Amino acid sequence: MKLEIGNFQVKDIQFGSELSYKDGILTINKEEALKMVREDERITEAELYIAKPGDKIRLCPVKEAIEPRVRLDGKGLFPGYTSPLRQSGEGVLHALKNCSVLVVGRHWGGFQDGLIDMSGPGQKLTYFGGLNNIVLVADTNEEFEKREQQKKNDALRRAGHKLAEFIGQCVKDLTPESKDVYETTPITKRSVEINKLPSVVAVLQPQSQMEALGYNDLIYGWDMNKYLPTLMSPQEVLDGALISGSFMPCSSKWSTYDFQNFPILRRLMEEDGKDYNFLGVIMSNLNVAMDQKERVIQMLVQQATELGADFALVTEEGYGNPDADYVGAIAALETAGIKVVGVANECTGRDGGSQPLVTLDEKIVAMVSTGNVSELIELPPMETVLGELEALGRDGNSGGWEGDEILGPSVRPDGSIIMEDNGLFCGDMIVGWSTKTLKDF
């Protein structure tokens, strides 16, 4: 399989009379874009904004992030979801880099929604604080879930995916500024030299714990709660096969933008054939009941063993109950003789003194921590809020609260906030963006 991504580096975004890209400037016709968004009858309010690094803007509640792209063969970006099924991971697409489409709720938030700051001390706490962002702020008529702590956010998330595809059209016929080419050879057809290298497999555990449909990550439009571990090409992940869900504390989330750019997978592909033989991705899932967890772990270990993996990199989306799937997978792989590096955040409490994962095993010997989800964060007011800041405390955001006997409310009268890391949009950057450093005292 061969996937070619042509890159266009967005230096600035502006509104204008037509959708275009020239000399690093992305121009968007706001009314045309909003007209497309409002084609969904569930959308009752919609407005577009631009949020760039350094702007004194706070976004909350953020629900999704997507990289604008277009495929040159005319097929849709997200097969089985916003367009008919196709094979992901091959062909040519163009991508607007250094920018994203962010979807923000106009009135209501929930457990799964997050916060982004475009400047100040909070800017560095999310990857998206450093990007040029097209921000869709919208509301829907989905009355059944407005006051629910857990929301599907279906209309808003779909609007974001369609908007990203709409914007990406402007670079379809242009010559890329650079290209990333990913090409894999079938495992049994690789050279003798490559097969002599240590072999590694990536085990990904996207969020899929909700039995009710509509909350979990999707793979080719299929709800991953109904999924079983399967070998995939890493290119499929980068090419729209996976869609982010709407369930879990937000700092642990993998947005669709994260799937499209997954740094860990890109690095493994870049080094493939040099230091090791990258066998591919065992795409797994996360479950609630122990028998379900054990069944999935057994299947992924069997696949890794049959592939002949010497090493595995395992990472989970979420924490808490999913830690049992995550730790169980690592321990079982180690028992099978496959050496593992795990990547995950931890929940050590506000004082940092609690057990980092819900369950632990002595077989876990190599871990990369992306931070403590319970760490307290204080941020000053911002001049502009896109969305509704009150959602941080009022609507069950996993990092905020309405009131605390000692700390008071998350959202203070002057617009400053105190919250847990939990509520930062994809803030733990588990896919590999993280720049955090661990220090011993």
Side-chain angles (χ1 to χ4, degrees), residues 214-265:
Y215 299 92
N216 299 308
D217 291 358
L218 302 177
I219 185 163
Y220 287 106
W222 185 260
D223 192 297
M224 293 196 72
N225 185 261
K226 309 301 178 185
Y227 186 77
L228 291 172
T230 301
L231 179 67
M232 292 183 68
S233 163
Q235 288 132 256
E236 291 178 88
V237 181
L238 302 184
D239 184 29
L242 283 104
I243 294 290
S244 175
S246 188
F247 172 69
M248 86 210 71
C250 200
S251 71
S252 306
K253 185 183 182 73
W254 294 347
S255 69
T256 298
Y257 184 101
D258 289 319
F259 282 124
Q260 290 172 301
N261 289 279
F262 223 107
I264 289 173
L265 296 185

Side-chain angles (χ1 to χ4, degrees), residues 97-129:
K97 311 303 289 188
N98 196 39
C99 82
S100 79
V101 170
L102 296 178
V103 183
V104 179
R106 174 64 186 87
H107 296 295
W108 301 96
F111 182 71
Q112 67 291 313
D113 300 332
L115 179 143
I116 296 171
D117 273 0
M118 297 306 301
S119 63
Q123 181 186 10
K124 66 181 180 181
L125 300 179
T126 72
Y127 185 76
F128 302 94

